[in-house]
Amino acid sequence: MPAFRQVGEKQLPNPVLCMAWSPKRDLIALANTTGELLLHRLASFQRVWSLPPSEYTGREIAALAWRPDGKILAFSLGDTKQVVLCGVEKAEILHVFPVQSPVTCMHWMEVMEESSVLSSFYNSEDESKLFLPKLPTLPKSYSTTSKIFSEEKSDEILNLLGEVRLNVLALGGDNGLVELYAYGMYKIATLGSISGMCRSLSLSSDLKSLSIITEVRSVDNNPEICYIQLDTGLLSDCLPEVTRMARKFTHISTLLQYLHLSLTCMCEAWDDILMQMDLRLTKFVQEKNTSTQVQDEFLELLLWGQSSPELQALLMNQLTVKGLKKLGQSIESSYSSIQKLVISHLQSGSEALLYHLSEVRGMSLWKQKFEPLGLDSSAIEGAITAVGSFSLKANELLQVIDKSMKNFKAFFRWLYVAMLRMCEEHVPPELNKMTQKDIAFVADFLSEHFSENEELFDRKGKYFNVERVGQYLKDEDEDLVSPPSTKGNQWLKFLQESTHLKESPLLFPSFPQKSLHFVKRMMENVIEHCLQKPAEVIGKSVKQAVFLPLYTVPESSENTPRLFELPSLWNDKKAKMHCVVFCMPEISPYKLYLLRKGTDPNRHIPNIVTSIDLSHHLDNADDDSPEAQSHCAYSCLDARFYDDEMLTVVLQGSGEQNSRRVLAQLPLASNLTCETEFSWEPNLRLDQQSSNIPSQGLVLGNQWRELENMKAQFLAVNGIRKVACVLSANLRHIRVFEMDVEDEDDEGADSQNVSADQDGLETTVTSQNPGEESLETEGEAGEQEGDAFKKIEEQLESEEAPELL
C-alpha cells in the first residue's frame, strides 16, 4: 500500500522553471520558460488562472515567493530587473519596483517576535483612519494603464499592506545583491559586500540573522557553494521602531502611487479635450482661406452681430449647431473631470501624505529610538515642504480651470445663440441675455485660444491653442508658457515687503513658473531621498558573522536548472536555527548532508554537521521477497524541508536500478541529535574534511513511495498544507501528492489522473474575470473529491481568508 495519496498529474506544454506552494491555501504557483505565471489548485491539479508575459512583466521569471498570508505572490524578472507583486485573487499586478541586478532567489518571512510595545502598536495602527477620509476610487471611464496599478486599483493600494504584523521580503541576486523590503514594498536594508551569486536565502523569524547560500568563483575559477550568515541585530533590537517606520513609509509609497495615477487620469481627460478641438475647431480654423484672422472675424460677430459669408458657411456647414452643442458638452465634461480629480484625489492624497510625513517627523525627533535607523528630521521637513508646494500648485490649477471653464461656457453659449440666429431659429430667453462680464469672458477666450502667436503653442500647423490648463499637465521641465497673473494679489505683495516672512520655513514655496508635473516630480525625488536613507544606514550596520565554504560545483551540473538545485535552506522557528541540506556528489554521492547553525550570531551554538547514509537503506523490512530484502544505494536528486522535523526527498537508485525514483520522508529529529560541535578547519572547504563528519544510516519504514513511469527530479513541498509536488527532469511532467494519507484506491487515482489529460493546461479557458471563474470551477472540483479531500476542505473553511478554496 503506497504512502502518500496522488491527487493530480499533468503533462505541461512548457517547461517549468519555478514552483512554490501557498503558505495558507492548497494552491501552487508555477513559472514556465515562456514567462507565464500559472496558479493551480491541489484538486486534480486544475488551473485557477494564468498571467501571460506583458510589457510590464517581462519574459523571464527567475524566482517566486508568497506573502505569509497567501494573498500576494512576488516574482522576479531577470530580463527587466524588476520585482512584481501580484494579487492572487484575480491575477492582477499590484506593484512593480526595479532592482539593481537580476534577482535569483527570494524569501518572504513574517516576524514572529512578540513584545508589549509591538502589541500596543498593532492595536493603535489604524488611528489614521480616524483623521483621514477614505481615498476616493479612481474613475473607470479612463483607460489608465500603469506599471503600478490598473485604473480600478485605488482600493487595492492600501490593502497591499496586508496584516499589521511586520513581514519582510528578502531578495538575493547576481553581483552580491541582497535587499530587504518591509511588507514587500519599502526597502529597509541594502546589504553590500556579499561575494558571488545568491542561490538561496532565509531571514530568521526573530530578525537576528540572514542566512545565504552563494556561488562564488574560487582561485582556480571553479564555482564554490558557500554558506554565509549575516548579523542583522539592529533590525532585531529596534523591531518596534522598524515596524512603525516601515508601516509609515509603505503608506507614503502607496500614496505617491495614488497621486501618480490620479495625475495620469487628469492627463487623459485633457487629451480628450485636445482630441475634440483637433477634430472640429482646428480643422475649421485651418480651412479658412481669407486674409483676416479667425479671432478678428469672431470679434466682429461678437461686437456687431455680423459675420462674413465664409465664416457663416464654415459655422453652419462644418461645425453645425448640433456639432457645437456636442463639442461644448464634451469639453465641459472633461473640464469637470479634471476639476473633480484635483479636488477629490490630488488634495485628499496630499493631505494624507502630509499627515503621515508629519508623524514620521515626530518619530525622527525621538533621536534615541529612531536616529540609529537613519531617520533624518531635516530631510523629512524638506519632504513636508515639497508636499505643501504640490498642494499649492494643485490649488493654482483649480483656479486656472475655473477661469477657463467660465470662458469656455460663455463662448459656447454665445456662439450657440449666434448660430441659432443665423438659422433664424427661436432663441430661448435664458440664453439671450449677455452681461458685460459674459462679453469679457468671450473676448478673453478668443484672445487666448485663437491666437496665432507662436509662443503660445507648439503643435505645428494648428492654430487653436488650449494650453492654459494643458501647460500644467505637460511632463516637461519647461516653464509655464502663460503663468497666472498675480497682479493685485495683496498677500503676495505683503510677503514681498516682509523681510521675516519671505524666508520663513513655515511657508511653502509656490514655484509660479513651473507645471504641476514638475512640482510632483520634485516632491517624489525629495520623498524618495527620505525613503532611501534608512535602507543605507541599516545596511551598513549588517556584518558578516559566518562564512563557511561547503563544496565545489561539479561540472556535470552545468545544465541543471539552478532554481531547483540543492542546497536547500530552512528557518527552524521553534529551535531558532538555520538548517541547510545539500549533497556533495563528487565526494560522497550516496550521502545527504545537514548543517545547522543558530540564528543568533552573538550566542554560541555548536555548528552541527551530520550526514545521512543512503547506501545501506533497506527498502521494506516487512516484505519477504528477496528483491525487497536486498540492499540498494540511493543518491539524492532533490531535498526540501517539509517542516521542522521532516525532510522530503527524491531519491534515485544506483547501478541496475538507475531509472528507479523514490519520493520519501526523512525524519530529521534522529539526525540532528548529535550535539557535538563539528571541528571545522577554517582554511578548508567542507568537502575536503568530509571524513570527519558523523554519519547515520536510515530505514524509511513506510514513509516512501516509488514514482513509476516518471523520471522525477525536483520537489516543492508545504508541511503546513501537507502537500508535495514532484517535477520530472524534462520540467514538464508533474505529480501532486497529499502527504499525510495513504493511497487507498491507487487504481481509482490513476484513472482520475490519466496523463492523457496532457493538454489540460492549454484547454482550460481563462475568462475576462479569472477570479470569478476560479471560484465556480473550484466548487465543482471540490464536489468530485473523495472523503479525504472533503476533510481538508472543512479544515480550510475554518481558517482565515478562504476565498479561493
Side-chain angles (χ1 to χ4, degrees), residues 227-346:
Y227 170 78
I228 298 172
Q229 188 179 56
L230 301 175
D231 184 349
T232 56
L234 179 62
L235 288 176
S236 176
D237 295 341
C238 303
L239 179 58
E241 292 79 22
V242 169
T243 303
R244 189 175 286 273
M245 182 181 74
R247 193 82 182 165
K248 281 295 167 194
F249 276 156
T250 310
H251 269 297
I252 290 166
S253 296
T254 51
L255 284 167
L256 285 175
Q257 293 157 19
Y258 177 79
L259 291 175
H260 168 78
L261 209 54
S262 301
L263 200 52
T264 307
C265 288
M266 289 168 59
C267 292
E268 289 200 4
W270 182 251
D271 287 341
D272 283 355
I273 295 178
L274 291 183
M275 189 171 65
Q276 295 293 337
M277 293 298 188
D278 285 349
L279 284 175
R280 293 181 173 87
L281 290 186
T282 305
K283 183 181 177 184
F284 162 70
V285 172
Q286 285 177 326
E287 289 181 356
K288 212 186 75 56
N289 53 16
T290 55
S291 57
T292 54
Q293 291 188 8
V294 177
Q295 180 183 348
D296 296 338
E297 293 201 13
F298 272 124
L299 281 172
E300 190 177 324
L301 179 62
L302 175 65
L303 294 173
W304 311 112
Q306 296 178 350
S307 61
S308 65
E310 187 187 33
L311 177 64
Q312 187 169 343
L314 282 168
L315 285 173
M316 303 309 297
N317 300 331
Q318 293 287 338
L319 196 57
T320 73
V321 175
K322 189 177 180 182
L324 178 73
K325 193 173 183 180
K326 188 176 179 182
L327 176 62
Q329 287 172 345
S330 64
I331 289 177
E332 186 177 350
S333 171
S334 297
Y335 264 124
S336 298
S337 298
I338 296 174
Q339 204 169 30
K340 287 174 186 173
L341 282 164
V342 175
I343 294 170
S344 62
H345 294 70
L346 291 193

Side-chain angles (χ1 to χ4, degrees), residues 11 22 70 80 102 236 277 302 355 371 473 475 482 572 579 584 716 804:
Q11 289 284 352
S22 166
T80 58
S236 176
M277 293 298 188
L302 175 65
Y355 174 88
E371 196 171 43
L473 304 178
D475 195 5
S482 47
D572 188 337
C579 302
M584 296 190 289
L804 279 170

Side-chain angles (χ1 to χ4, degrees), residues 16-278:
V16 171
L17 287 178
C18 314
M19 50 186 186
W21 283 101
S22 166
K24 294 289 185 183
R25 310 169 189 177
D26 290 336
L27 298 166
I28 187 169
L30 309 171
N32 61 31
T33 51
T34 66
E36 186 178 27
L37 182 65
L38 306 159
L39 190 72
H40 283 254
R41 70 171 61 86
L42 177 67
S44 301
F45 204 67
Q46 292 179 326
R47 185 172 69 170
V48 179
W49 52 250
S50 67
L51 183 68
S54 69
E55 59 181 310
Y56 300 131
T57 59
R59 291 190 170 276
E60 188 184 314
I61 295 177
L64 294 172
W66 289 82
R67 194 167 75 179
D69 64 2
K71 294 181 179 179
I72 290 180
L73 183 63
F75 59 94
S76 66
L77 303 167
D79 48 351
T80 58
K81 295 182 183 177
Q82 288 179 314
V83 174
V84 181
L85 303 187
C86 172
V88 175
E89 192 67 32
K90 295 182 180 178
E92 294 161 326
I93 293 175
L94 301 177
H95 183 53
V96 181
F97 60 88
V99 284
Q100 296 296 321
S101 301
V103 172
T104 53
C105 57
M106 49 175 62
H107 173 242
W108 209 332
M109 185 277 312
E110 184 177 36
V111 179
M112 302 302 291
E113 193 76 11
E114 286 286 359
S115 73
S116 57
V117 179
L118 265 183
S119 300
S120 64
F121 166 63
Y122 292 151
N123 295 333
S124 65
E125 154 61 14
D126 290 329
E127 281 183 357
S128 62
K129 293 181 180 177
L130 301 174
F131 306 107
L132 295 172
K134 186 181 177 182
L135 291 176
T137 56
L138 294 162
K140 300 177 182 179
S141 56
Y142 297 106
S143 58
T144 308
T145 53
S146 166
K147 290 184 180 180
I148 313 297
F149 300 97
S150 62
E151 59 177 34
E152 299 168 17
K153 289 277 89 53
S154 47
D155 278 342
E156 300 287 342
I157 290 178
L158 296 179
N159 294 341
L160 264 174
L161 286 164
E163 302 297 330
V164 179
R165 186 189 298 276
L166 179 65
N167 56 72
V168 180
L169 175 64
L171 306 178
D174 286 343
N175 306 319
L177 168 80
V178 179
E179 294 179 340
L180 304 180
Y181 287 81
Y183 301 104
M185 292 183 64
Y186 166 57
K187 183 158 61 174
I188 53 171
T190 304
L191 313 181
S193 69
I194 308 296
S195 56
M197 178 186 77
C198 291
R199 294 271 295 274
S200 180
L201 78 171
S202 178
L203 188 63
S204 65
S205 57
D206 55 9
L207 284 185
K208 290 185 182 294
S209 66
L210 174 66
S211 284
I212 307 172
I213 303 293
T214 64
E215 181 181 319
V216 297
R217 290 281 173 180
S218 60
V219 181
D220 52 2
N221 207 32
N222 287 328
E224 275 186 0
I225 300 298
C226 303
Y227 170 78
I228 298 172
Q229 188 179 56
L230 301 175
D231 184 349
T232 56
L234 179 62
L235 288 176
S236 176
D237 295 341
C238 303
L239 179 58
E241 292 79 22
V242 169
T243 303
R244 189 175 286 273
M245 182 181 74
R247 193 82 182 165
K248 281 295 167 194
F249 276 156
T250 310
H251 269 297
I252 290 166
S253 296
T254 51
L255 284 167
L256 285 175
Q257 293 157 19
Y258 177 79
L259 291 175
H260 168 78
L261 209 54
S262 301
L263 200 52
T264 307
C265 288
M266 289 168 59
C267 292
E268 289 200 4
W270 182 251
D271 287 341
D272 283 355
I273 295 178
L274 291 183
M275 189 171 65
Q276 295 293 337
M277 293 298 188
D278 285 349

Side-chain angles (χ1 to χ4, degrees), residues 365-425:
L365 294 175
W366 193 355
K367 295 188 182 296
Q368 180 187 357
K369 293 279 187 182
F370 290 95
E371 196 171 43
L373 298 176
L375 271 191
D376 183 356
S377 57
S378 61
I380 295 163
E381 284 172 6
I384 291 173
T385 302
V387 176
S389 297
F390 179 75
S391 294
L392 285 178
K393 186 58 68 172
N395 195 52
E396 181 184 306
L397 175 59
L398 272 182
Q399 295 173 17
V400 173
I401 291 172
D402 189 53
K403 184 180 178 185
S404 293
M405 280 188 78
K406 286 177 183 174
N407 293 349
F408 259 113
K409 285 180 179 178
F411 171 75
F412 278 101
R413 189 174 68 172
W414 163 74
L415 191 57
Y416 181 64
V417 170
M419 291 176 70
L420 286 177
R421 285 177 179 154
M422 288 178 191
C423 301
E424 297 182 353
E425 292 184 11

Side-chain angles (χ1 to χ4, degrees), residues 57 62 64 108 119 122 126 162 173 175 219 263 281 361 427 450 482 537 540 567 584 612 627 659 689 695 707 794-795:
T57 59
L64 294 172
W108 209 332
S119 300
Y122 292 151
D126 290 329
N175 306 319
V219 181
L263 200 52
L281 290 186
R361 181 178 176 273
V427 178
F450 283 97
S482 47
V537 171
K540 287 176 183 175
M584 296 190 289
I612 303 172
E627 293 178 2
S659 60
Q689 44 189 320
S695 179
L707 300 169
E794 290 168 4
Q795 179 186 347

